[in-house]
Amino acid sequence: MERKNAWLKYDEEGRKTVFEFSERYRRFLSRCKTERECVSQVIEDAKAAGYEDLNEVVAQGKTLKPGDKVYCAIMGKSIALFHLGERPLEEGMNIVGAHIDSPRLDLKQNPLYEDGNLAMFETHYYGGVKKYQWVALPLALHGVVAKTDGTTVSVVLGEDPGDPVIGISDLLPHLGRTQMAKNAEKVVEGEDLNILVGSIPLEDEEKEPVKKRILEILKEKYQISEEDFQSAELEAVPAGEARDYGLDRSMLIAYGHDDRVCAYPSYQALLSLEAPRKTCVCLLVDKEEIGSVGATGMQSRFFENAVAEVINCAEEYSELKVRRALQNSCMLSSDVSAAFDPNYPDVMEKNNSAYFGKGLTFNKYTGSRGKSGSNDANAEYIARIRRVLDDADVSYQTAELGKVDQGGGGTIAYILANYGMEVIDSGVAVQNMHAPYEVVSKVDIYEAYRGYETFLREI
Ligand code: MN
Ligand code: MN
């Protein structure tokens, strides 16, 4: 059972391949910090690999045949990609899925105000964050502002080295006595996460002159007004690029590894496939961090609808075929796992922890308090996966998210399992999960890619 460190499997040439793959991921991650940005990039890459928009295929009344590739995006925030296989769809699909939303600070609908001669943005945090980690950091603003004239303005502020950044202040230790005595949950509270955005007053203006000047800048730079914030989705995220981490450059530190470190290798694995036997699918979804709800979350019917459209374009349609296609499918639900951390060994059980360098991590079950809420993967299914990964010499490990009763978490696995398909949680181990900067091992990213590719081809 001794799991060899995956780095030791690779000679110099092999390590070069590992580093090159993670460099492509690093650039993807530096550019794609929101679900919308991820979907846009995936569409661009998919088109270059020969994928067509399913909506256009449907509109033009085209038929789909084995080897054809289509994608279906919903509201620009979730996407399903299909590479049609030789076998009929009702025999089931091989699906890799991950989420592309990450914890962050969303601007409120009425965000801008002035206080103490400073212009500020109100925020509402998204997902499970330790709020005290989000202060005293350079933040960037990403998102869209939809205007009543039907146009949408894209905003990326704080990423170009010439751009200004914004941020949230913290209290100086000299005046922090009361603060430091508080419980960590209360050290910085949700309503304290206000972003400082400006301090120069507009000339000859009595009321809120600093705010008014910021509004002038917004008008000039983005052609948006204060009212337009009501129909905006603006996300404050840590500014700057993903970076190599460690003296040996073996890791990457970045915002948003959860869960793009699974999303990126998942879709790259699909794009690299040639003539699959079964139809292969990559599913990249929004809203996992807040319970997979809403039209673009995994609980939405959009994927089921997309499968129905694909079957309708590929063969004689029946609802029974859609149900069979879903129930006969196999899925890797990919999400990050907690990596063993020598600074915090107490929350881990060493025999069932994920370790950096040991490859793709499988979680038979997640959940908390007696596996509650978990998709408990089927033993026979795990055996099949073990066989194909062993044959392809993919490094993998099995783990739980921390000690029994220490906490827990959920993923999208249980939602797909509702169709009666085989699903298991898999993914890449992460340190500092949900912190503004998370850390992963480069060889684990590469083993995830190889694992997903093997799964799609062989299972
Ligand atoms: Mn998460
Ligand atoms: Mn996640």
Side-chain angles (χ1 to χ4, degrees), residues 85-372:
E86 284 150 34
R87 305 301 309 160
L89 268 135
E90 61 186 306
E91 289 186 15
M93 302 164 280
N94 292 344
I95 306 169
V96 290
H99 69 90
I100 47 177
D101 59 318
S102 296
R104 65 196 185 229
L105 307 176
D106 288 340
L107 293 202
K108 290 190 186 181
Q109 290 337 105
N110 300 307
L112 186 60
Y113 68 100
E114 179 170 337
D115 193 0
N117 306 313
L118 300 173
M120 311 286 288
F121 277 155
E122 300 260 15
T123 69
H124 194 142
Y125 68 99
Y126 173 98
V129 299
K130 288 175 163 180
K131 295 170 205 103
Y132 67 80
Q133 293 179 331
W134 290 74
V135 297
L137 280 177
L139 297 177
L141 203 60
H142 290 235
V144 296
V145 182
K147 300 204 291 182
T148 49
D149 65 4
T151 60
T152 300
V153 180
S154 285
V155 175
V156 180
L157 172 84
E159 298 295 352
D160 191 275
D163 272 0
V165 292
I166 52 182
I168 300 166
S169 59
D170 195 4
L171 200 52
L172 58 166
H174 317 66
L175 297 178
R177 220 173 89 180
T178 310
Q179 183 196 36
M180 294 303 280
K182 287 181 184 173
N183 178 295
E185 239 176 296
K186 301 270 178 190
V187 166
V188 174
E189 299 200 52
E191 283 297 348
D192 301 334
L193 295 172
N194 302 312
I195 301 174
L196 175 56
V197 294
S199 63
I200 302 179
L202 194 66
E203 276 170 38
D204 306 321
E205 193 63 52
E206 299 261 300
K207 204 170 162 260
E208 301 184 318
V210 181
K211 171 180 163 177
K212 289 207 173 100
R213 187 146 188 283
I214 291 297
L215 283 170
E216 279 204 348
I217 293 169
L218 290 170
K219 183 102 228 158
E220 194 180 313
K221 194 165 160 64
Y222 301 107
Q223 295 79 51
I224 54 175
S225 68
E226 189 170 13
E227 284 75 22
D228 292 331
F229 280 118
Q230 296 173 100
S231 50
E233 288 173 5
L234 293 166
E235 310 178 6
V237 297
E241 298 223 325
R243 306 274 303 260
D244 282 353
Y245 196 67
L247 296 179
D248 56 5
R249 296 181 174 265
S250 60
M251 299 163 279
L252 281 175
I253 185 166
Y255 165 70
H257 281 311
D258 178 5
D259 185 30
R260 291 159 200 146
V261 74
C262 298
Y264 183 80
S266 291
Y267 91 86
Q268 290 298 325
L270 184 75
L271 297 194
S272 74
L273 283 188
E274 276 173 47
R277 196 172 52 82
K278 280 161 76 180
T279 293
C280 290
V281 177
C282 177
L283 200 46
L284 303 175
V285 294
D286 180 27
K287 300 283 185 282
E288 191 277 342
E289 296 294 357
I290 58 168
S292 298
V293 290
T296 57
M298 195 64 246
Q299 296 193 47
S300 144
R301 291 287 174 87
F302 93 92
F303 175 57
E304 191 181 319
N305 294 344
V307 172
E309 293 284 7
V310 168
I311 289 181
N312 192 42
C313 291
E315 15 185 301
E316 180 107 11
Y317 180 83
S318 86
E319 198 203 325
L320 188 58
K321 280 186 183 172
V322 178
R323 293 183 187 215
R324 283 178 180 157
L326 289 162
Q327 172 145 338
N328 292 331
S329 288
C330 290
M331 188 198 191
L332 289 186
S333 164
S334 288
D335 207 340
V336 293
S337 199
F340 178 78
D341 184 344
N343 281 337
Y344 300 97
D346 292 352
V347 298
M348 300 290 201
E349 186 263 289
K350 283 196 167 174
N351 295 319
N352 289 281
S353 291
Y355 292 87
F356 275 177
K358 300 284 174 97
L360 181 58
T361 301
F362 285 93
N363 293 91
K364 184 177 187 298
Y365 44 84
T366 57
S368 55
R369 289 161 287 102
K371 302 187 179 181
S372 182

Side-chain angles (χ1 to χ4, degrees), residues 381-411:
Y381 179 49
I382 301 176
R384 283 169 62 196
I385 292 173
R386 281 176 56 206
R387 190 180 68 230
V388 299
L389 296 188
D390 285 342
D391 287 351
D393 193 27
V394 173
S395 299
Y396 63 90
Q397 52 187 329
T398 60
E400 293 195 21
L401 190 81
K403 275 183 181 168
V404 175
D405 285 341
Q406 193 57 238
T411 64

